[in-house]
Amino acid sequence: CIECHCPRDIAENRIRERLREGTDPSDADLAVLDEQVSHYEPPLEIPAGHFLSVETHYPLEEIVARIVGHLPM
């Protein structure tokens, strides 16, 4: 399981930009973000070795390297 997250202000800016561009099929807006944040529950039932949390505001290369490094060889 990979959990992706970023700081609230970055998520809001991404949503605003997507809505401004009007080309993304997602209809999620800031109200959806509020709903998701208010109902978030950490996935405690997933064993530590099968769970990875990544910050999506880091450079893509770092995110990919972290995910690949977590994969079993």
Side-chain angles (χ1 to χ4, degrees), residues 1 3 40-47 51:
C1 174
E3 177 187 53
Y40 170 77
E41 293 182 24
L44 301 176
E45 69 279 4
I46 299 173
F51 176 80

Side-chain angles (χ1 to χ4, degrees), residues 55-68:
E55 298 281 344
T56 63
H57 62 285
Y58 290 144
L60 182 58
E61 296 79 19
E62 288 182 33
I63 296 169
V64 171
R66 179 132 196 255
I67 292 170
V68 170

Side-chain angles (χ1 to χ4, degrees), residues 8-54:
R8 174 70 186 232
D9 62 317
I10 291 176
E12 290 176 0
N13 288 337
R14 288 175 178 171
I15 291 169
R16 285 188 191 101
E17 182 63 27
R18 192 190 71 239
L19 292 172
R20 207 175 4 260
E21 290 174 359
T23 57
D24 193 297
S26 173
D27 58 357
D29 56 16
L30 295 175
V32 172
L33 176 63
D34 289 338
E35 184 75 13
Q36 290 176 337
V37 169
S38 69
H39 289 91
Y40 170 77
E41 293 182 24
L44 301 176
E45 69 279 4
I46 299 173
H50 297 274
F51 176 80
L52 178 65
S53 181
V54 296

